[in-house]
Amino acid sequence: MPTDFLLLITDYHLIKIMHPEIEALLDQAENRFLKGEELIAFKRQAVTLVQRLKIYEFLREKEASIFQPVANKLQETFPDEKQETLERSLKHWVLVLRYCAMAMLLNDQNFLEQRLVDWLSGIVEAHQTQKIEATVCNLLQTRLKELLSEQARAILQPFFDQAQSIIDQSNK
């Protein structure tokens, strides 16, 4: 069996695992060609996948430059707070952004919910850092608005909003 064929099979299974919408389209087309509207939906998913990859790579490459101004402003805002408390909250949001980026890449809000609920459930409340966490969130939002295009933010924002909502709910 040619190697190229094996790669195509592997790529097919990887795409099915990573993107539920694409998986549904591929499942529908197992015994027939895609219909016109299904092909349009598939093309739309392919185009957004390219955009999602670019955003993900940008966030990965710029993580330090995204968070350094946030960290600086956080120290200015809470000068009397323990350094370890500020660092813990900042680390929470580094992880939150990473999870948001992966969920955006996968286009899977369930991925994000599972990661945040499993990991973050009650942690903010236990440390009583709600005000600091809210500040980091706002500073990060502002920083992302400075760095990302409007189109990129529109793709990432639903996942960021979902993360913020999950964190807010775990604080109640």
Side-chain angles (χ1 to χ4, degrees), residues 37-147:
E37 63 273 4
E38 293 167 336
L39 193 53
I40 291 168
F42 190 86
K43 286 179 183 179
R44 188 173 37 250
Q45 289 299 322
V47 169
T48 63
L49 178 58
V50 170
Q51 293 169 330
R52 291 170 194 278
L53 279 166
K54 287 180 183 178
I55 297 165
Y56 182 89
E57 288 173 339
F58 178 84
L59 294 172
R60 184 193 68 197
E61 292 168 9
K62 302 292 184 185
E63 183 178 67
S65 62
I66 290 170
F67 278 96
Q68 189 58 57
V70 172
N72 296 343
K73 187 70 173 169
L74 190 63
Q75 285 181 317
E76 289 174 23
T77 307
F78 297 98
D80 298 329
E81 192 64 57
K82 291 181 184 178
Q83 185 69 24
E84 69 182 47
T85 302
L86 297 178
E87 287 176 7
R88 185 184 325 108
S89 292
L90 201 57
K91 286 177 184 176
H92 290 164
W93 283 94
V94 168
L95 290 173
V96 167
L97 184 61
R98 288 176 184 171
Y99 287 144
C100 287
M102 182 56 73
M104 177 218 42
L105 181 61
L106 298 172
N107 198 24
D108 186 354
Q109 291 186 317
N110 290 331
F111 171 89
L112 182 60
E113 186 168 345
Q114 289 170 349
R115 294 305 184 275
L116 290 183
V117 169
D118 290 347
W119 163 69
L120 198 58
S121 184
I123 201 168
V124 174
E125 185 177 356
H127 292 290
Q128 296 296 306
T129 56
Q130 290 89 344
K131 188 173 181 182
I132 295 170
E133 300 282 340
T135 301
V136 175
C137 178
N138 291 333
L139 291 169
L140 182 55
Q141 282 273 48
T142 301
R143 186 71 178 136
L144 291 173
K145 285 179 184 174
E146 293 169 1
L147 296 173

Side-chain angles (χ1 to χ4, degrees), residues 4-38:
D4 291 345
F5 179 73
L6 291 176
L7 286 175
L8 287 174
I9 292 172
T10 304
D11 292 346
Y12 170 78
H13 289 291
L14 182 61
I15 288 171
K16 283 184 72 168
I17 291 168
M18 287 184 60
H19 288 276
E21 299 90 353
I22 293 174
E23 178 182 2
L25 287 169
L26 293 174
D27 286 344
Q28 291 172 12
E30 265 188 38
N31 297 317
R32 61 171 173 78
F33 283 108
L34 291 173
K35 297 175 184 172
E37 63 273 4
E38 293 167 336

